[in-house]
């Protein structure tokens, strides 16, 4: 049965984890996402579903606990905010290299460095271009509502296990802190050890007599073998690009100008659409839901018919590069953004659109 | 119907909880709601504010710079938000501690002397509910029935005994409401 709750985005992440049958959470508190760990500690899922909730000694420890949990086929996750996620980059690269399913949430705050605790989208490059080393990709989901914070936890785990790849939920301080209506689902049971051993033949679930050891590692000393690993990864990423692109389009049919924005910027842009149309300016919005794989095709198809595209991001212009590639620079693409934790107002975005 | 509200005051005045009760009551009445707090250095002492949106439709931006209603509980918030009320909009404030009263002529302005009244009758903790009462008198977005349900949802169960007092404070606020400048 569906139940209606008023929740913060951060609480919705925690609740989504408990209810989708997550096996373990490992994290370290940091603003603006501390409510995730707080909600988990208050709900005590270890008494309800048996889910482990552990405050690790650091973000480096958290991500490596996730590595271990994922390697044995458990649904495990961690969450943090920008500076903490920077510390996790080595672990994420190892997890991607070892092809371990895992979920990480970044409730982004302003940077660089310790920066500020206010909302930002300045970790786009880090997330979709590979913040760690090596040719790897993170499947990246960008929630724009508290409901999506809840829903994307289960979706994230589904994708992580489907592709044996880490998934990142790239949120920010607004979506983490805002309270909205959320429909929460029933509690799903956690997977049994038998189910995991049967369903994930790669997982390190203990060696039965009938097969060799399962080795989960990102280390290959022979380059020929490592090239094969890379080719397999690239084939997997191609498949992912073909099947997992998600986006939303709003009022693009008759639009002269197109805004491209994700997450909380996309919410602010919906207000801009309303204000612009009241003044007779026809504007539409494309909201990428997956940032990798990026919705290139739809941005190309809609974008090339427009007079111009404005990429609205709470950063100095990061996603704009992918938008420009998508439209092959056939139409003018500009950027509007604020940095360091300042949230752009609908009026100033409208002004940027008028100045296009 | 969409009502975009900013509630602003000092930390500890119950700004965030007032917004939360309003949001919960809205949900109970089957509306779309959004509650976006200031969570920055403000919440660590100093000014605190929350944007509450109640609507029949899907809510666009939870962060706004123009509001239908501003509920102002201290001078720094008055300085910051008086000019953010849409023309024709509503500003409600508690005159306690306000050294420069609002000067806008294109909006409706009301006073609720909630702090004074709350201190007088010894219900200082219900100060925010008195203010909320003043607002609901002008914009009855939620009925008393749903306000009760909202309180039940937003207060921990051990405090449910206090709900009748909260409702009474809302009624007091409705009576205290005084026009300051009305279009």
């Amino acid at each position: 049965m569906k139940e209606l709750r008023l929740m913060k985005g951060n609480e919705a992440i925690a609740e989504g984890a408990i209810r989708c049958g997550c096996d373990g959470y490992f994290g370290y508190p940091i603003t603006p996402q501390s409510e995730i760990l707080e909600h988990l500690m208050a709900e005590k899922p270890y008494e309800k579903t048996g889910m482990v909730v552990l405050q690790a000694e650091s973000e480096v420890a958290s991500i490596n606990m996730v590595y271990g949990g994922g390697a044995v086929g458990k649904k495990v996750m961690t969450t943090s905010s920008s500076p903490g996620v920077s510390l996790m980059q080595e672990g994420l690269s190892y997890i991607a290299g070892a092809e371990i399913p895992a979920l990480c949430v970044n409730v982004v705050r302003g940077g660089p460095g310790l920066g500020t605790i206010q909302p930002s989208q300045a970790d786009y490059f880090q997330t979709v271009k590979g913040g760690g080393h090596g040719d790897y990709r993170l499947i990246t989901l960008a929630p724009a509502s508290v409901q999506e914070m809840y829903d994307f936890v289960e979706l994230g785990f589904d994708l992580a296990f489907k592709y044996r790849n880490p998934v990142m939920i790239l949120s920010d301080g607004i979506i983490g802190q805002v309270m909205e209506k959320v429909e929460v689902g029933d509690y799903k049971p956690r997977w049994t050890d038998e189910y995991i051993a049967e369903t994930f033949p790669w997982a390190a679930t203990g060696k039965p007599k009938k097969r060799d050891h399962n080795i989960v590692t990102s280390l290959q000393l022979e380059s020929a073998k490592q090239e094969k690993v890379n080719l397999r990864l690239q084939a997997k990423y191609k498949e992912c690009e073909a099947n997992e692109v998600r986006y939303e389009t709003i009022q693009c049919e008759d639009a002269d100008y197109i805004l491209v924005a994700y997450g909380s910027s996309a919410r602010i842009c919906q207000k801009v659409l309303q204000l612009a149309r009241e003044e007779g300016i026809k504007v539409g919005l494309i909201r990428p839901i997956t940032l990798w794989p990026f919705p290139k095709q739809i941005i190309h198809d809609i974008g090339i018919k427009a007079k111009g595209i404005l990429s609205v991001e709470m950063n100095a212009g990061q996603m704009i590069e992918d938008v420009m590639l998508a439209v092959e620079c056939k139409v003018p693409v500009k950027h509007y953004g604020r940095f360091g934790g300042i949230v752009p107002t609908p009026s100033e975005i409208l002004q940027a659109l008028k100045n296009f | 119907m969409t009502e975009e509200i900013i509630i602003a005051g000092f930390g500890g005045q119950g700004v965030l909880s007032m917004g939360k009760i309003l949001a919960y009551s809205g949900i109970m009445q089957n509306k779309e709601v959004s509650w976006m707090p200031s969570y920055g250095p403000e919440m660590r002492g100093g000014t605190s504010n929350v944007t509450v949106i109640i609507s029949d439709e899907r809510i666009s931006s939870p962060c706004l710079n123009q509001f239908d209603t501003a509920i102002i509980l201290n001078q720094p918030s008055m300085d910051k938000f008086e000019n953010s009320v849409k023309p024709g909009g509503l500003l409600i404030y508690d005159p306690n501690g306000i050294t420069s009263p609002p000067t806008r002529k294109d909006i409706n302005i009301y006073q609720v002397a909630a702090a004074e009244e709350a201190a007088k009758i010894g219900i200082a903790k219900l100060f925010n509910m008195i203010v909320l009462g003043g607002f609901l008198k002008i914009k009855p977005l939620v009925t008393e029935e749903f306000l009760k349900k909202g309180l039940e949802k937003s207060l921990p169960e051990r405090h449910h005994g206090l709900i009748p007092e909260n409702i009474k404070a809302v009624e007091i606020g409705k009576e205290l409401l005084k026009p300051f400048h009305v279009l």
Side-chain angles (χ1 to χ4, degrees):
Chain A
M1 210 195 80
K2 298 273 182 190
E3 187 192 333
L4 221 48
R5 302 269 285 270
L6 180 69
M7 293 184 118
K8 280 194 173 194
N10 288 333
E11 294 165 344
I13 289 277
E15 195 63 31
I18 300 171
R19 289 180 187 245
C20 81
C22 176
D23 292 300
Y25 171 94
F26 311 96
Y28 188 81
I30 180 172
T31 307
Q33 62 85 58
S34 295
E35 291 88 355
I36 299 175
L37 187 51
E38 285 168 13
H39 187 82
L40 286 169
M41 287 299 188
E43 287 296 311
K44 298 189 175 68
Y46 32 91
E47 290 173 4
K48 287 182 199 159
T49 67
M51 173 186 172
V52 171
V53 181
L54 186 81
Q55 179 174 335
E57 65 268 40
S58 72
E59 289 85 350
V60 176
S62 311
I63 194 70
N64 284 294
M65 288 172 182
V66 167
Y67 185 115
V72 300
K74 298 281 183 185
K75 277 188 187 177
V76 288
M77 67 186 289
T78 184
T79 68
S80 191
S81 179
S82 309
V85 176
S86 288
L87 288 168
M88 293 181 183
Q89 293 304 318
E90 180 199 44
L92 284 167
S93 168
Y94 277 52
I95 288 171
E99 294 187 79
I100 295 172
L103 180 66
C104 182
V105 182
N106 184 357
V107 183
V108 180
R109 62 190 235 179
L114 264 185
T116 172
I117 58 173
Q118 306 288 3
S120 165
Q121 294 181 317
D123 297 359
Y124 179 88
F125 278 158
Q126 182 195 57
T127 313
V128 304
K129 307 292 178 196
H133 57 281
D135 264 328
Y136 76 94
R137 294 292 196 176
L138 293 177
I139 299 170
T140 305
L141 301 168
S145 66
V146 177
Q147 185 69 53
E148 284 188 345
M149 288 286 257
Y150 178 87
D151 294 339
F152 286 2
V153 174
E154 185 168 17
L155 174 63
F157 276 124
D158 288 351
L159 293 170
F161 277 87
K162 182 173 174 190
Y163 293 97
R164 280 183 66 187
N165 204 69
V167 171
M168 178 69 84
I169 296 180
L170 193 66
S171 174
D172 65 63
I174 295 178
I175 300 299
Q177 292 296 326
V178 72
M179 282 209 297
E180 291 178 333
K181 200 154 83 171
V182 189
E183 230 179 60
V184 298
D186 285 333
Y187 290 93
K188 291 189 180 161
R190 289 169 47 235
W191 292 332
T192 60
D193 289 347
E194 293 72 32
Y195 176 85
I196 292 171
E198 236 170 70
T199 320
F200 308 116
W202 51 266
T205 48
K207 184 190 170 304
K209 286 198 178 115
K210 57 186 179 201
R211 68 158 162 80
D212 284 341
H213 289 281
N214 279 345
I215 299 170
V216 179
T217 180
S218 65
L219 176 69
Q220 292 292 346
L221 289 175
E222 287 175 45
S223 343
K225 280 189 182 168
Q226 185 56 19
E227 185 174 49
K228 273 193 184 144
V229 170
N230 269 280
L231 288 169
R232 190 173 69 235
L233 290 178
Q234 292 306 318
K236 178 168 90 175
Y237 298 151
K238 279 233 152 52
E239 196 189 325
C240 204
E241 283 181 313
N243 298 326
E244 305 302 343
V245 171
R246 288 166 169 81
Y247 58 84
E248 183 186 8
T249 59
I250 302 175
Q251 293 181 297
C252 288
E253 300 75 19
D254 64 342
D256 291 328
Y257 291 91
I258 296 292
L259 303 175
V260 183
Y262 70 91
S264 52
S265 288
R267 292 289 296 276
I268 299 166
C269 283
Q270 285 172 44
K271 188 77 189 175
V272 177
L273 252 56
Q274 201 182 312
L275 297 174
R277 282 178 180 265
E278 277 167 17
E279 295 188 25
I281 309 167
K282 287 181 186 160
V283 191
L285 170 68
I286 303 175
R287 172 171 82 93
I289 294 173
T290 49
L291 298 177
W292 192 86
F294 194 67
K296 292 182 235 180
Q297 194 62 49
I298 190 76
I299 292 177
H300 175 269
D301 294 351
I302 292 178
I304 55 165
K305 291 182 218 147
K307 289 181 187 159
I309 301 173
L310 190 66
S311 183
V312 182
E313 313 163 55
M314 288 193 283
N315 57 40
Q318 301 190 9
M319 184 179 66
I320 184 175
E321 294 187 4
D322 288 327
V323 176
M324 288 169 99
L325 284 172
V327 294
E328 296 156 352
C329 298
K330 287 175 191 159
V331 285
V333 183
K334 290 185 180 172
H335 164 264
Y336 185 78
R338 297 290 301 264
F339 341 109
I342 297 289
V343 178
T345 65
S347 331
E348 67 188 73
I349 299 170
L350 180 62
Q351 195 52 49
L353 194 63
K354 285 179 182 168
N355 298 344
F356 197 92
Chain B
M1 187 284 300
T2 299
E3 180 73 16
E4 296 167 339
I5 307 161
I6 178 92
I7 310 174
F10 286 120
Q13 276 182 317
V15 164
L16 298 186
S17 48
M18 195 198 312
K20 209 163 163 178
I21 290 161
L22 202 53
Y24 258 119
S25 309
I27 282 197
M28 295 293 114
Q29 217 159 299
N30 213 14
K31 307 266 186 206
E32 297 296 323
V33 301
S34 142
W35 176 95
M36 180 68 209
S38 56
Y39 68 91
E42 304 100 316
M43 72 180 271
R44 290 149 169 89
T47 59
S48 163
N49 67 70
V50 61
T51 303
V52 177
I53 307 171
I54 300 182
S55 180
D56 292 323
E57 291 145 39
R58 173 175 159 176
I59 291 168
S60 58
S61 175
C63 299
L64 298 166
N65 57 327
Q66 291 279 297
F67 304 93
D68 299 308
T69 298
I71 300 175
I72 304 292
L73 303 176
N74 66 7
Q75 187 61 48
S77 303
M78 185 68 87
D79 299 341
K80 196 169 172 187
F81 294 112
E82 183 186 351
N83 286 325
S84 306
V85 180
K86 294 178 194 169
L90 171 66
L91 190 155
I92 295 182
Y93 74 102
D94 186 329
N96 181 43
I98 296 291
T99 45
S100 339
T103 53
R104 293 262 307 259
K105 295 288 168 233
D106 60 340
I107 56 173
N108 291 303
I109 304 174
Y110 290 84
Q111 290 182 341
V112 185
E116 193 189 74
E117 184 71 12
K120 200 165 78 190
I121 55 176
I123 52 164
K125 276 187 181 167
L126 294 173
F127 157 76
N128 60 345
M129 296 305 288
I130 300 180
V131 177
L132 182 62
F135 169 68
L136 289 177
K137 170 101 187 253
I138 306 173
K139 298 209 171 168
L141 293 180
V142 288
T143 62
E144 190 183 310
E145 182 200 347
F146 289 106
L147 186 64
K148 264 186 202 155
K149 285 190 181 167
L151 281 163
E152 275 166 19
K153 277 275 182 182
S154 56
L155 293 175
E157 213 156 291
R158 64 180 190 278
H159 289 149
H160 279 190
L162 301 172
I163 291 175
E165 279 178 61
N166 277 270
I167 297 288
K168 204 180 139 203
V170 167
E171 291 308 316
I172 292 171
K174 286 182 183 173
E175 281 163 33
L176 279 180
L177 185 80
K178 204 170 92 185
F180 180 78
H181 172 268
V182 178
L183 293 174

